[in-house]
Amino acid sequence: MREVNNNTANPSNVNFQGIQTRSTKEDVITPEIAPSESPEVTDLGKMPSEVIGRSQVSKTAQQKDVDFAVKHEKDVEDLDRYFNYLIDKRGLSYEQACAIIAGTAEEFYGA
C-alpha cells in the first residue's frame, strides 16, 4: 500500500516508494475445476431427496399423531401451553420448542 503523510491536502507528500507493481495475468495461476461426474437420474422415484421426503411424511407418523391427540386431548392442551411458554417466556426458537415438546410427549405420554 502507500503511506500518506499527515498533510494530505498537498499531493506532493504522498510516498509511493513502498508500492509493489500490479501482477499481470501471466503471473496469476488459476486452477482448473474439473466437472463432476455424477450419473444422471431419469427415474425421479429413485432420487435420494425423494426417498427422504417420503420417509418424513408417512401416513403412519401422521396417524400416530392423530391417534395420540384423540386419546390424550387434555394432555395435548397442556403440551400446547408448555410449547407457548417455551417460545414466549423462555425465548426458544420454534424448532427447539418442537424438539422439547416431542421429547416430553414421548417420555411422559408414550407418544
Side-chain angles (χ1 to χ4, degrees), residues 20-36:
Q20 297 176 355
T21 59
R22 185 181 293 188
S23 62
T24 60
K25 289 194 177 227
E26 291 83 28
D27 295 341
V28 178
I29 298 173
T30 56
E32 293 183 19
I33 300 174
S36 63

Side-chain angles (χ1 to χ4, degrees), residues 6-57:
N6 289 337
N7 188 3
T8 57
N10 187 356
S12 65
N13 288 338
V14 179
N15 181 6
F16 289 102
Q17 292 177 353
I19 297 177
Q20 297 176 355
T21 59
R22 185 181 293 188
S23 62
T24 60
K25 289 194 177 227
E26 291 83 28
D27 295 341
V28 178
I29 298 173
T30 56
E32 293 183 19
I33 300 174
S36 63
E37 298 290 330
S38 61
E40 182 179 352
V41 178
T42 56
D43 184 10
L44 298 179
K46 294 182 181 180
M47 291 183 68
S49 60
E50 176 70 23
V51 173
I52 291 171
R54 277 187 271 140
S55 68
Q56 291 176 346
V57 182

Side-chain angles (χ1 to χ4, degrees), residues 6-111:
N6 289 337
N7 188 3
T8 57
N10 187 356
S12 65
N13 288 338
V14 179
N15 181 6
F16 289 102
Q17 292 177 353
I19 297 177
Q20 297 176 355
T21 59
R22 185 181 293 188
S23 62
T24 60
K25 289 194 177 227
E26 291 83 28
D27 295 341
V28 178
I29 298 173
T30 56
E32 293 183 19
I33 300 174
S36 63
E37 298 290 330
S38 61
E40 182 179 352
V41 178
T42 56
D43 184 10
L44 298 179
K46 294 182 181 180
M47 291 183 68
S49 60
E50 176 70 23
V51 173
I52 291 171
R54 277 187 271 140
S55 68
Q56 291 176 346
V57 182
S58 64
K59 291 180 182 177
T60 57
Q62 292 173 352
Q63 190 60 40
K64 179 182 172 185
D65 292 343
V66 170
D67 291 342
F68 175 79
V70 169
K71 289 179 185 176
H72 303 95
E73 186 175 328
K74 173 94 172 80
D75 298 330
V76 170
E77 291 174 4
D78 291 339
L79 289 170
D80 185 48
R81 278 194 300 275
Y82 184 48
F83 177 80
N84 292 330
Y85 166 78
L86 291 173
I87 290 179
D88 296 336
K89 303 290 183 187
R90 300 295 297 208
L92 295 176
S93 69
Y94 181 84
E95 291 81 10
Q96 292 170 331
C98 284
I100 291 173
I101 293 300
T104 303
E106 186 174 332
E107 181 71 24
F108 293 110
Y109 306 112

